[in-house]
Amino acid sequence: MKHLIVLLSVVAFLHGTAEAQDKTAILNRTMKAGTFEASILEMRMPDDATAIMAKFSQAVAAKPDWIQTYVASQRLNPGEPLPYHENMGVTEREYARLIEAKAETKLRPVSNCNLIVTSNADGSLAVTGSGGAAVLNGLTIDSETMTIRYKDLSSTDCSVVIPKRTALVSINGLDWNTEKVTPPSTLTALSLTVGRYTDTTHGFLEFRATKAVGRAASMNHHLYLQWKPKDRRTKR
Protein backbone atom coordinates (compact mmCIF):
# COMPACT_ATOMS: atom_id res chain seq x y z
CA MET A 1 0.00 0.00 0.00
CA LYS A 2 2.85 2.34 0.89
CA HIS A 3 4.53 1.67 -2.46
CA LEU A 4 1.25 2.38 -4.26
CA ILE A 5 0.91 5.77 -2.55
CA VAL A 6 4.48 6.66 -3.53
CA LEU A 7 3.82 5.58 -7.13
CA LEU A 8 0.63 7.66 -7.34
CA SER A 9 2.49 10.66 -5.95
CA VAL A 10 5.19 10.30 -8.61
CA VAL A 11 2.58 9.99 -11.38
CA ALA A 12 0.76 13.09 -10.10
CA PHE A 13 4.05 15.02 -9.97
CA LEU A 14 4.99 14.01 -13.52
CA HIS A 15 1.50 14.90 -14.78
CA GLY A 16 1.68 18.31 -13.12
CA THR A 17 5.14 18.94 -14.58
CA ALA A 18 4.01 17.98 -18.09
CA GLU A 19 0.94 20.20 -17.81
CA ALA A 20 3.08 23.15 -16.70
CA GLN A 21 5.43 22.56 -19.63
CA ASP A 22 2.45 22.51 -22.02
CA LYS A 23 1.22 25.84 -20.67
CA THR A 24 4.69 27.36 -20.91
CA ALA A 25 5.02 26.17 -24.51
CA ILE A 26 1.65 27.70 -25.41
CA LEU A 27 2.61 30.97 -23.73
CA ASN A 28 5.96 31.07 -25.55
CA ARG A 29 4.20 30.56 -28.89
CA THR A 30 1.58 33.18 -28.11
CA MET A 31 3.40 35.98 -26.30
CA LYS A 32 6.77 36.73 -27.88
CA ALA A 33 8.94 39.66 -26.82
CA GLY A 34 8.65 42.65 -29.13
CA THR A 35 6.60 45.67 -30.12
CA PHE A 36 3.52 44.84 -32.15
CA GLU A 37 0.92 46.80 -34.09
CA ALA A 38 -2.38 46.25 -32.32
CA SER A 39 -6.02 47.27 -32.39
CA ILE A 40 -8.37 47.87 -29.49
CA LEU A 41 -11.66 46.06 -30.02
CA GLU A 42 -15.16 46.84 -28.82
CA MET A 43 -18.48 45.07 -29.17
CA ARG A 44 -20.28 47.06 -31.86
CA MET A 45 -23.50 46.81 -33.81
CA PRO A 46 -23.60 47.70 -37.51
CA ASP A 47 -23.62 51.48 -38.03
CA ASP A 48 -27.30 51.74 -38.98
CA ALA A 49 -28.35 49.86 -35.84
CA THR A 50 -26.03 51.97 -33.66
CA ALA A 51 -27.96 55.11 -34.64
CA ILE A 52 -31.26 53.42 -33.78
CA MET A 53 -29.88 52.21 -30.45
CA ALA A 54 -28.90 55.79 -29.56
CA LYS A 55 -32.51 56.94 -30.03
CA PHE A 56 -33.84 53.94 -28.13
CA SER A 57 -31.46 54.48 -25.20
CA GLN A 58 -32.28 58.17 -24.96
CA ALA A 59 -36.03 57.51 -24.92
CA VAL A 60 -35.80 54.75 -22.32
CA ALA A 61 -33.47 56.81 -20.10
CA ALA A 62 -36.07 59.58 -20.07
CA LYS A 63 -38.75 57.16 -18.76
CA PRO A 64 -37.00 54.95 -16.17
CA ASP A 65 -40.18 54.22 -14.19
CA TRP A 66 -42.08 53.24 -17.32
CA ILE A 67 -39.41 50.84 -18.62
CA GLN A 68 -39.11 49.11 -15.23
CA THR A 69 -42.88 48.64 -15.06
CA TYR A 70 -43.05 47.51 -18.69
CA VAL A 71 -40.29 44.92 -18.27
CA ALA A 72 -41.89 43.62 -15.06
CA SER A 73 -45.25 43.24 -16.80
CA GLN A 74 -43.86 40.92 -19.47
CA ARG A 75 -43.43 37.19 -18.98
CA LEU A 76 -40.57 36.48 -21.34
CA ASN A 77 -38.52 33.38 -21.95
CA PRO A 78 -34.71 33.72 -21.69
CA GLY A 79 -33.41 35.57 -24.75
CA GLU A 80 -36.88 36.67 -25.86
CA PRO A 81 -36.99 40.41 -26.73
CA LEU A 82 -39.47 42.86 -25.27
CA PRO A 83 -42.54 43.50 -27.43
CA TYR A 84 -42.46 46.83 -29.24
CA HIS A 85 -43.94 49.90 -27.54
CA GLU A 86 -44.15 53.45 -28.88
CA ASN A 87 -42.44 54.76 -25.72
CA MET A 88 -39.23 53.16 -26.98
CA GLY A 89 -38.62 56.23 -29.13
CA VAL A 90 -38.19 54.32 -32.39
CA THR A 91 -40.56 53.01 -35.03
CA GLU A 92 -41.68 49.41 -35.00
CA ARG A 93 -39.56 48.78 -38.09
CA GLU A 94 -36.51 50.33 -36.43
CA TYR A 95 -37.05 48.20 -33.34
CA ALA A 96 -37.20 45.08 -35.51
CA ARG A 97 -33.86 46.12 -37.01
CA LEU A 98 -32.39 46.43 -33.49
CA ILE A 99 -33.46 42.89 -32.67
CA GLU A 100 -32.04 41.64 -35.96
CA ALA A 101 -28.75 43.49 -35.42
CA LYS A 102 -28.15 41.73 -32.12
CA ALA A 103 -26.97 38.68 -34.06
CA GLU A 104 -24.63 40.91 -36.11
CA THR A 105 -22.96 42.47 -33.07
CA LYS A 106 -19.29 41.52 -32.90
CA LEU A 107 -15.88 42.73 -31.86
CA ARG A 108 -14.73 45.49 -34.19
CA PRO A 109 -11.47 47.51 -34.23
CA VAL A 110 -12.01 51.04 -32.89
CA SER A 111 -8.47 52.41 -32.50
CA ASN A 112 -4.82 51.53 -33.09
CA CYS A 113 -2.11 51.12 -30.49
CA ASN A 114 1.07 49.20 -29.73
CA LEU A 115 1.42 46.06 -27.64
CA ILE A 116 4.85 45.78 -26.01
CA VAL A 117 6.04 42.50 -24.50
CA THR A 118 9.36 42.58 -22.61
CA SER A 119 11.36 39.67 -21.15
CA ASN A 120 12.44 40.46 -17.59
CA ALA A 121 15.67 39.22 -16.02
CA ASP A 122 13.72 36.70 -13.91
CA GLY A 123 12.18 35.15 -17.03
CA SER A 124 8.75 36.72 -16.61
CA LEU A 125 7.04 38.78 -19.28
CA ALA A 126 6.04 42.41 -18.79
CA VAL A 127 3.03 43.41 -20.89
CA THR A 128 2.44 47.09 -21.63
CA GLY A 129 0.55 49.10 -24.21
CA SER A 130 0.16 52.55 -25.71
CA GLY A 131 -2.97 54.67 -26.02
CA GLY A 132 -6.07 52.90 -24.77
CA ALA A 133 -4.01 49.78 -24.11
CA ALA A 134 -2.00 51.56 -21.40
CA VAL A 135 -4.30 49.93 -18.82
CA LEU A 136 -2.11 46.85 -19.33
CA ASN A 137 0.90 48.63 -17.85
CA GLY A 138 1.90 46.72 -14.73
CA LEU A 139 0.77 43.31 -16.01
CA THR A 140 3.34 40.51 -15.74
CA ILE A 141 3.21 36.82 -16.62
CA ASP A 142 5.50 34.35 -14.85
CA SER A 143 6.13 31.56 -17.35
CA GLU A 144 7.51 29.18 -14.70
CA THR A 145 4.72 29.37 -12.13
CA MET A 146 2.11 30.46 -14.70
CA THR A 147 1.11 33.33 -12.43
CA ILE A 148 -0.17 36.68 -13.64
CA ARG A 149 0.18 39.82 -11.53
CA TYR A 150 -1.34 43.26 -11.90
CA LYS A 151 -0.71 45.90 -9.27
CA ASP A 152 -1.67 44.11 -6.01
CA LEU A 153 -3.79 41.44 -7.75
CA SER A 154 -2.62 38.01 -8.86
CA SER A 155 -3.95 34.77 -10.32
CA THR A 156 -2.45 31.29 -10.48
CA ASP A 157 -5.64 29.73 -11.85
CA CYS A 158 -4.37 29.04 -15.37
CA SER A 159 -6.00 26.62 -17.78
CA VAL A 160 -5.41 25.53 -21.36
CA VAL A 161 -8.43 25.93 -23.58
CA ILE A 162 -8.19 24.77 -27.19
CA PRO A 163 -10.05 26.28 -28.83
CA LYS A 164 -11.41 28.99 -26.56
CA ARG A 165 -14.66 30.65 -27.60
CA THR A 166 -14.68 34.12 -26.08
CA ALA A 167 -16.37 37.34 -27.07
CA LEU A 168 -17.42 35.95 -30.46
CA VAL A 169 -13.91 34.83 -31.42
CA SER A 170 -12.28 31.41 -31.50
CA ILE A 171 -8.69 31.08 -30.27
CA ASN A 172 -6.16 28.57 -29.02
CA GLY A 173 -4.57 29.79 -25.83
CA LEU A 174 -4.57 30.22 -22.07
CA ASP A 175 -7.02 31.51 -19.47
CA TRP A 176 -6.38 32.94 -16.02
CA ASN A 177 -9.34 33.79 -13.84
CA THR A 178 -9.49 34.56 -10.13
CA GLU A 179 -12.35 36.26 -8.31
CA LYS A 180 -12.55 36.82 -4.57
CA VAL A 181 -15.30 38.23 -2.37
CA THR A 182 -14.23 39.36 1.08
CA PRO A 183 -17.03 40.04 3.58
CA PRO A 184 -18.86 42.20 3.87
CA SER A 185 -18.69 43.57 0.31
CA THR A 186 -15.20 43.71 -1.19
CA LEU A 187 -14.73 42.22 -4.67
CA THR A 188 -11.39 41.68 -6.40
CA ALA A 189 -11.09 40.00 -9.79
CA LEU A 190 -8.29 39.43 -12.27
CA SER A 191 -8.61 37.56 -15.55
CA LEU A 192 -6.58 37.25 -18.72
CA THR A 193 -7.13 35.34 -21.93
CA VAL A 194 -4.32 35.22 -24.50
CA GLY A 195 -4.08 33.18 -27.66
CA ARG A 196 -3.98 33.02 -31.42
CA TYR A 197 -7.02 33.08 -33.65
CA THR A 198 -7.81 29.68 -35.13
CA ASP A 199 -8.23 31.16 -38.62
CA THR A 200 -5.36 33.72 -38.72
CA THR A 201 -1.92 34.24 -37.16
CA HIS A 202 -3.06 37.33 -35.24
CA GLY A 203 -2.96 37.32 -31.46
CA PHE A 204 -5.92 38.03 -29.19
CA LEU A 205 -6.06 39.27 -25.61
CA GLU A 206 -8.90 39.92 -23.18
CA PHE A 207 -8.00 41.55 -19.86
CA ARG A 208 -10.13 42.36 -16.81
CA ALA A 209 -9.12 43.83 -13.46
CA THR A 210 -11.63 44.89 -10.82
CA LYS A 211 -11.51 46.17 -7.24
CA ALA A 212 -14.76 47.28 -5.67
CA VAL A 213 -16.29 47.86 -2.27
CA GLY A 214 -20.05 47.68 -2.51
CA ARG A 215 -21.01 49.59 -5.64
CA ALA A 216 -17.93 51.81 -5.57
CA ALA A 217 -15.18 50.55 -7.90
CA SER A 218 -11.66 51.86 -7.37
CA MET A 219 -10.50 49.90 -10.43
CA ASN A 220 -12.53 48.50 -13.30
CA HIS A 221 -10.57 47.71 -16.47
CA HIS A 222 -11.82 45.64 -19.39
CA LEU A 223 -9.89 45.48 -22.64
CA TYR A 224 -10.12 43.49 -25.87
CA LEU A 225 -7.03 43.61 -28.07
CA GLN A 226 -5.71 41.94 -31.20
CA TRP A 227 -2.21 42.25 -32.59
CA LYS A 228 -0.21 41.44 -35.69
CA PRO A 229 2.46 38.75 -35.19
CA LYS A 230 5.36 40.69 -36.75
CA ASP A 231 7.58 42.69 -34.37
CA ARG A 232 7.55 46.33 -35.52
CA ARG A 233 11.27 46.54 -34.81
CA THR A 234 12.00 43.80 -37.35
CA LYS A 235 13.16 45.13 -40.69
CA ARG A 236 10.81 44.30 -43.52
Side-chain angles (χ1 to χ4, degrees), residues 139-183:
L139 174 64
T140 61
I141 307 174
D142 188 322
S143 58
E144 289 190 6
T145 63
M146 299 309 294
T147 300
I148 61 171
R149 296 181 176 86
Y150 183 74
K151 302 185 186 302
D152 59 344
L153 303 178
S154 65
S155 175
T156 58
D157 186 12
C158 178
S159 60
V160 178
V161 188
I162 304 176
K164 163 71 175 178
R165 185 76 182 176
T166 175
L168 305 182
V169 298
S170 185
I171 64 167
N172 296 321
L174 298 171
D175 273 331
W176 287 264
N177 188 25
T178 296
E179 184 174 305
K180 297 179 181 178
V181 177
T182 305

Short mmCIF file of all heavy atoms in Angstrom, two decimals, residues 139-183:
data_model
loop_
_atom_site.label_atom_id
_atom_site.label_comp_id
_atom_site.label_asym_id
_atom_site.label_seq_id
_atom_site.Cartn_x
_atom_site.Cartn_y
_atom_site.Cartn_z
N LEU A 139 1.12 44.72 -15.89
CA LEU A 139 0.77 43.31 -16.01
C LEU A 139 2.02 42.48 -16.28
O LEU A 139 2.81 42.81 -17.16
CB LEU A 139 -0.23 43.11 -17.15
CG LEU A 139 -0.61 41.66 -17.50
CD1 LEU A 139 -1.33 40.99 -16.34
CD2 LEU A 139 -1.47 41.62 -18.76
N THR A 140 2.23 41.42 -15.50
CA THR A 140 3.34 40.51 -15.74
C THR A 140 2.83 39.07 -15.76
O THR A 140 1.83 38.74 -15.12
CB THR A 140 4.43 40.63 -14.65
OG1 THR A 140 3.87 40.29 -13.37
CG2 THR A 140 5.01 42.03 -14.61
N ILE A 141 3.54 38.24 -16.52
CA ILE A 141 3.21 36.82 -16.62
C ILE A 141 4.46 36.02 -16.29
O ILE A 141 5.49 36.15 -16.97
CB ILE A 141 2.73 36.44 -18.04
CG1 ILE A 141 1.58 37.35 -18.49
CG2 ILE A 141 2.31 34.98 -18.09
CD1 ILE A 141 1.15 37.12 -19.94
N ASP A 142 4.39 35.22 -15.24
CA ASP A 142 5.50 34.35 -14.85
C ASP A 142 5.35 33.03 -15.58
O ASP A 142 4.42 32.26 -15.31
CB ASP A 142 5.49 34.13 -13.33
CG ASP A 142 6.74 33.42 -12.84
OD1 ASP A 142 7.22 32.51 -13.54
OD2 ASP A 142 7.22 33.76 -11.75
N SER A 143 6.26 32.75 -16.51
CA SER A 143 6.13 31.56 -17.35
C SER A 143 6.50 30.27 -16.62
O SER A 143 6.20 29.18 -17.10
CB SER A 143 7.00 31.70 -18.61
OG SER A 143 8.36 31.89 -18.26
N GLU A 144 7.16 30.38 -15.46
CA GLU A 144 7.51 29.18 -14.70
C GLU A 144 6.36 28.75 -13.79
O GLU A 144 5.97 27.59 -13.76
CB GLU A 144 8.77 29.43 -13.87
CG GLU A 144 10.05 29.52 -14.71
CD GLU A 144 11.29 29.53 -13.84
OE1 GLU A 144 11.16 29.33 -12.61
OE2 GLU A 144 12.38 29.72 -14.39
N THR A 145 5.82 29.70 -13.05
CA THR A 145 4.72 29.37 -12.13
C THR A 145 3.36 29.59 -12.77
O THR A 145 2.33 29.27 -12.16
CB THR A 145 4.81 30.24 -10.86
OG1 THR A 145 4.65 31.63 -11.23
CG2 THR A 145 6.15 30.05 -10.18
N MET A 146 3.34 30.13 -13.99
CA MET A 146 2.11 30.46 -14.70
C MET A 146 1.20 31.33 -13.83
O MET A 146 0.01 31.07 -13.65
CB MET A 146 1.38 29.19 -15.16
CG MET A 146 2.20 28.34 -16.12
SD MET A 146 2.87 29.27 -17.53
CE MET A 146 1.38 29.73 -18.39
N THR A 147 1.81 32.37 -13.27
CA THR A 147 1.11 33.33 -12.43
C THR A 147 1.06 34.68 -13.13
O THR A 147 2.07 35.12 -13.69
CB THR A 147 1.83 33.50 -11.07
OG1 THR A 147 1.88 32.25 -10.41
CG2 THR A 147 1.10 34.52 -10.19
N ILE A 148 -0.10 35.32 -13.14
CA ILE A 148 -0.17 36.68 -13.64
C ILE A 148 -0.33 37.62 -12.45
O ILE A 148 -0.95 37.29 -11.44
CB ILE A 148 -1.34 36.89 -14.64
CG1 ILE A 148 -2.70 36.59 -13.99
CG2 ILE A 148 -1.14 36.05 -15.88
CD1 ILE A 148 -3.89 36.99 -14.86
N ARG A 149 0.26 38.81 -12.58
CA ARG A 149 0.18 39.82 -11.53
C ARG A 149 -0.15 41.17 -12.15
O ARG A 149 0.34 41.49 -13.23
CB ARG A 149 1.49 39.91 -10.74
CG ARG A 149 1.84 38.65 -9.98
CD ARG A 149 3.14 38.79 -9.19
NE ARG A 149 3.40 37.60 -8.39
CZ ARG A 149 4.02 36.52 -8.84
NH1 ARG A 149 4.46 36.49 -10.10
NH2 ARG A 149 4.22 35.48 -8.05
N TYR A 150 -0.98 41.92 -11.45
CA TYR A 150 -1.34 43.26 -11.90
C TYR A 150 -1.57 44.11 -10.67
O TYR A 150 -2.50 43.86 -9.90
CB TYR A 150 -2.60 43.22 -12.76
CG TYR A 150 -2.99 44.57 -13.33
CD1 TYR A 150 -2.27 45.13 -14.38
CD2 TYR A 150 -4.08 45.28 -12.82
CE1 TYR A 150 -2.62 46.36 -14.91
CE2 TYR A 150 -4.44 46.50 -13.35
CZ TYR A 150 -3.71 47.04 -14.40
OH TYR A 150 -4.06 48.27 -14.92
N LYS A 151 -0.68 45.08 -10.47
CA LYS A 151 -0.71 45.90 -9.27
C LYS A 151 -0.68 44.97 -8.06
O LYS A 151 0.24 44.17 -7.92
CB LYS A 151 -1.89 46.85 -9.29
CG LYS A 151 -1.87 47.78 -10.53
CD LYS A 151 -2.96 48.80 -10.49
CE LYS A 151 -3.03 49.61 -11.79
NZ LYS A 151 -1.79 50.32 -12.13
N ASP A 152 -1.70 45.00 -7.18
CA ASP A 152 -1.67 44.11 -6.01
C ASP A 152 -2.58 42.89 -6.20
O ASP A 152 -2.90 42.19 -5.24
CB ASP A 152 -2.07 44.87 -4.75
CG ASP A 152 -3.46 45.49 -4.84
OD1 ASP A 152 -3.99 45.59 -5.96
OD2 ASP A 152 -4.02 45.87 -3.80
N LEU A 153 -2.97 42.61 -7.45
CA LEU A 153 -3.79 41.44 -7.75
C LEU A 153 -2.93 40.35 -8.39
O LEU A 153 -1.92 40.64 -9.03
CB LEU A 153 -4.93 41.81 -8.72
CG LEU A 153 -5.88 42.93 -8.29
CD1 LEU A 153 -6.90 43.19 -9.39
CD2 LEU A 153 -6.58 42.58 -6.99
N SER A 154 -3.34 39.10 -8.23
CA SER A 154 -2.62 38.01 -8.86
C SER A 154 -3.57 36.85 -9.11
O SER A 154 -4.63 36.74 -8.49
CB SER A 154 -1.44 37.54 -7.99
OG SER A 154 -1.91 36.99 -6.78
N SER A 155 -3.17 35.97 -10.04
CA SER A 155 -3.95 34.77 -10.32
C SER A 155 -3.02 33.64 -10.74
O SER A 155 -2.14 33.82 -11.58
CB SER A 155 -4.96 35.03 -11.45
OG SER A 155 -5.63 33.82 -11.80
N THR A 156 -3.20 32.49 -10.11
CA THR A 156 -2.45 31.29 -10.48
C THR A 156 -3.38 30.27 -11.14
O THR A 156 -2.95 29.18 -11.48
CB THR A 156 -1.82 30.64 -9.24
OG1 THR A 156 -2.85 30.34 -8.29
CG2 THR A 156 -0.80 31.58 -8.59
N ASP A 157 -4.63 30.64 -11.30
CA ASP A 157 -5.64 29.73 -11.85
C ASP A 157 -5.58 29.76 -13.37
O ASP A 157 -6.38 30.41 -14.04
CB ASP A 157 -7.02 30.15 -11.35
CG ASP A 157 -8.11 29.17 -11.76
OD1 ASP A 157 -7.76 28.08 -12.24
OD2 ASP A 157 -9.30 29.50 -11.61
N CYS A 158 -4.60 29.05 -13.92
CA CYS A 158 -4.37 29.04 -15.37
C CYS A 158 -4.85 27.73 -15.97
O CYS A 158 -4.60 26.65 -15.43
CB CYS A 158 -2.88 29.23 -15.66
SG CYS A 158 -2.47 29.19 -17.41
N SER A 159 -5.53 27.82 -17.10
CA SER A 159 -6.00 26.62 -17.78
C SER A 159 -5.76 26.74 -19.28
O SER A 159 -5.73 27.84 -19.84
CB SER A 159 -7.49 26.39 -17.51
OG SER A 159 -8.26 27.49 -17.95
N VAL A 160 -5.58 25.60 -19.91
CA VAL A 160 -5.41 25.53 -21.36
C VAL A 160 -6.76 25.28 -21.98
O VAL A 160 -7.46 24.34 -21.58
CB VAL A 160 -4.44 24.40 -21.76
CG1 VAL A 160 -4.31 24.32 -23.28
CG2 VAL A 160 -3.08 24.60 -21.10
N VAL A 161 -7.15 26.11 -22.91
CA VAL A 161 -8.43 25.93 -23.58
C VAL A 161 -8.19 25.97 -25.08
O VAL A 161 -7.75 26.98 -25.61
CB VAL A 161 -9.45 27.01 -23.18
CG1 VAL A 161 -10.82 26.68 -23.75
CG2 VAL A 161 -9.52 27.14 -21.68
N ILE A 162 -8.44 24.86 -25.76
CA ILE A 162 -8.19 24.77 -27.19
C ILE A 162 -9.39 24.13 -27.87
O ILE A 162 -9.64 22.93 -27.67
CB ILE A 162 -6.94 23.94 -27.49
CG1 ILE A 162 -5.73 24.50 -26.74
CG2 ILE A 162 -6.67 23.87 -28.98
CD1 ILE A 162 -4.47 23.68 -26.89
N PRO A 163 -10.12 24.83 -28.71
CA PRO A 163 -10.05 26.28 -28.83
C PRO A 163 -10.89 26.95 -27.76
O PRO A 163 -11.75 26.30 -27.16
CB PRO A 163 -10.64 26.55 -30.21
CG PRO A 163 -11.67 25.46 -30.37
CD PRO A 163 -11.08 24.25 -29.67
N LYS A 164 -10.66 28.21 -27.54
CA LYS A 164 -11.41 28.99 -26.56
C LYS A 164 -12.37 29.90 -27.30
O LYS A 164 -11.96 30.70 -28.14
CB LYS A 164 -10.44 29.82 -25.71
CG LYS A 164 -11.07 30.98 -24.94
CD LYS A 164 -11.94 30.54 -23.79
CE LYS A 164 -12.45 31.74 -23.00
NZ LYS A 164 -13.32 31.39 -21.91
N ARG A 165 -13.66 29.78 -26.99
CA ARG A 165 -14.66 30.65 -27.60
C ARG A 165 -14.92 31.79 -26.63
O ARG A 165 -15.43 31.58 -25.53
CB ARG A 165 -15.95 29.88 -27.84
CG ARG A 165 -17.02 30.68 -28.58
CD ARG A 165 -16.70 30.80 -30.06
NE ARG A 165 -17.68 31.61 -30.76
CZ ARG A 165 -17.59 31.93 -32.04
NH1 ARG A 165 -16.58 31.51 -32.75
NH2 ARG A 165 -18.51 32.66 -32.62
N THR A 166 -14.51 32.99 -26.98
CA THR A 166 -14.68 34.12 -26.08
C THR A 166 -15.01 35.37 -26.87
O THR A 166 -14.35 35.66 -27.87
CB THR A 166 -13.42 34.36 -25.23
OG1 THR A 166 -13.59 35.55 -24.45
CG2 THR A 166 -12.19 34.55 -26.08
N ALA A 167 -16.02 36.07 -26.45
CA ALA A 167 -16.37 37.34 -27.07
C ALA A 167 -16.50 37.22 -28.59
O ALA A 167 -15.99 38.04 -29.34
CB ALA A 167 -15.35 38.40 -26.72
N LEU A 168 -17.15 36.16 -29.04
CA LEU A 168 -17.42 35.95 -30.46
C LEU A 168 -16.17 35.68 -31.29
O LEU A 168 -16.18 35.89 -32.50
CB LEU A 168 -18.19 37.15 -31.05
CG LEU A 168 -19.49 37.53 -30.32
CD1 LEU A 168 -20.16 38.69 -31.03
CD2 LEU A 168 -20.44 36.34 -30.26
N VAL A 169 -15.09 35.24 -30.66
CA VAL A 169 -13.91 34.83 -31.42
C VAL A 169 -13.50 33.43 -30.97
O VAL A 169 -13.85 32.98 -29.88
CB VAL A 169 -12.72 35.80 -31.23
CG1 VAL A 169 -13.06 37.18 -31.71
CG2 VAL A 169 -12.27 35.82 -29.78
N SER A 170 -12.76 32.74 -31.82
CA SER A 170 -12.28 31.41 -31.50
C SER A 170 -10.76 31.41 -31.51
O SER A 170 -10.14 31.76 -32.52
CB SER A 170 -12.82 30.39 -32.51
OG SER A 170 -12.45 29.08 -32.14
N ILE A 171 -10.15 31.05 -30.39
CA ILE A 171 -8.69 31.08 -30.27
C ILE A 171 -8.18 29.81 -29.61
O ILE A 171 -8.92 29.09 -28.94
CB ILE A 171 -8.20 32.29 -29.45
CG1 ILE A 171 -8.69 32.19 -28.01
CG2 ILE A 171 -8.60 33.60 -30.09
CD1 ILE A 171 -8.02 33.15 -27.05
N ASN A 172 -6.89 29.55 -29.80
CA ASN A 172 -6.16 28.57 -29.02
C ASN A 172 -5.30 29.34 -28.04
O ASN A 172 -4.55 30.24 -28.45
CB ASN A 172 -5.26 27.71 -29.92
CG ASN A 172 -6.07 26.88 -30.90
OD1 ASN A 172 -7.12 26.36 -30.56
ND2 ASN A 172 -5.57 26.76 -32.12
N GLY A 173 -5.37 29.02 -26.76
CA GLY A 173 -4.57 29.79 -25.83
C GLY A 173 -4.71 29.41 -24.38
O GLY A 173 -4.95 28.24 -24.05
N LEU A 174 -4.57 30.41 -23.52
CA LEU A 174 -4.57 30.22 -22.07
C LEU A 174 -5.56 31.16 -21.41
O LEU A 174 -5.79 32.28 -21.89
CB LEU A 174 -3.17 30.50 -21.50
CG LEU A 174 -2.02 29.61 -21.98
CD1 LEU A 174 -0.70 30.18 -21.49
CD2 LEU A 174 -2.20 28.19 -21.49
N ASP A 175 -6.11 30.70 -20.30
CA ASP A 175 -7.02 31.51 -19.47
C ASP A 175 -6.49 31.58 -18.05
O ASP A 175 -6.06 30.57 -17.49
CB ASP A 175 -8.40 30.84 -19.38
CG ASP A 175 -9.31 31.22 -20.52
OD1 ASP A 175 -9.16 32.33 -21.05
OD2 ASP A 175 -10.16 30.40 -20.88
N TRP A 176 -6.53 32.77 -17.47
CA TRP A 176 -6.38 32.94 -16.02
C TRP A 176 -7.65 33.60 -15.51
O TRP A 176 -8.16 34.53 -16.15
CB TRP A 176 -5.20 33.84 -15.67
CG TRP A 176 -3.84 33.28 -15.85
CD1 TRP A 176 -3.05 32.69 -14.91
CD2 TRP A 176 -3.06 33.29 -17.06
NE1 TRP A 176 -1.84 32.33 -15.44
CE2 TRP A 176 -1.82 32.68 -16.77
CE3 TRP A 176 -3.29 33.74 -18.36
CZ2 TRP A 176 -0.82 32.53 -17.72
CZ3 TRP A 176 -2.31 33.58 -19.31
CH2 TRP A 176 -1.09 32.98 -18.99
N ASN A 177 -8.13 33.17 -14.38
CA ASN A 177 -9.34 33.79 -13.84
C ASN A 177 -9.43 33.56 -12.34
O ASN A 177 -9.53 32.42 -11.89
CB ASN A 177 -10.58 33.22 -14.52
CG ASN A 177 -11.84 33.96 -14.13
OD1 ASN A 177 -11.78 35.13 -13.75
ND2 ASN A 177 -12.98 33.30 -14.20
N THR A 178 -9.35 34.64 -11.58
CA THR A 178 -9.49 34.56 -10.13
C THR A 178 -10.42 35.67 -9.66
O THR A 178 -10.24 36.83 -10.02
CB THR A 178 -8.12 34.72 -9.43
OG1 THR A 178 -7.28 33.62 -9.79
CG2 THR A 178 -8.29 34.74 -7.91
N GLU A 179 -11.41 35.29 -8.87
CA GLU A 179 -12.35 36.26 -8.31
C GLU A 179 -12.54 35.96 -6.84
O GLU A 179 -12.75 34.81 -6.46
CB GLU A 179 -13.69 36.18 -9.04
CG GLU A 179 -14.71 37.21 -8.59
CD GLU A 179 -15.97 37.20 -9.43
OE1 GLU A 179 -15.86 37.35 -10.67
OE2 GLU A 179 -17.06 37.04 -8.85
N LYS A 180 -12.42 37.00 -6.01
CA LYS A 180 -12.55 36.82 -4.57
C LYS A 180 -13.54 37.83 -4.00
O LYS A 180 -13.52 39.00 -4.38
CB LYS A 180 -11.20 37.00 -3.87
CG LYS A 180 -10.13 35.99 -4.27
CD LYS A 180 -8.82 36.27 -3.57
CE LYS A 180 -7.74 35.28 -3.99
NZ LYS A 180 -6.44 35.58 -3.33
N VAL A 181 -14.38 37.36 -3.10
CA VAL A 181 -15.30 38.23 -2.37
C VAL A 181 -14.94 38.15 -0.90
O VAL A 181 -14.96 37.07 -0.31
CB VAL A 181 -16.77 37.82 -2.59
CG1 VAL A 181 -17.68 38.72 -1.76
CG2 VAL A 181 -17.13 37.89 -4.06
N THR A 182 -14.59 39.30 -0.33
CA THR A 182 -14.23 39.36 1.08
C THR A 182 -15.34 40.07 1.84
O THR A 182 -15.68 41.21 1.49
CB THR A 182 -12.90 40.13 1.27
OG1 THR A 182 -11.89 39.51 0.47
CG2 THR A 182 -12.48 40.12 2.73
N PRO A 183 -15.93 39.41 2.83
CA PRO A 183 -17.03 40.04 3.58
C PRO A 183 -16.57 41.36 4.20
O PRO A 183 -15.40 41.48 4.59
CB PRO A 183 -17.36 38.99 4.65
CG PRO A 183 -16.88 37.69 4.07
CD PRO A 183 -15.66 38.05 3.28
#
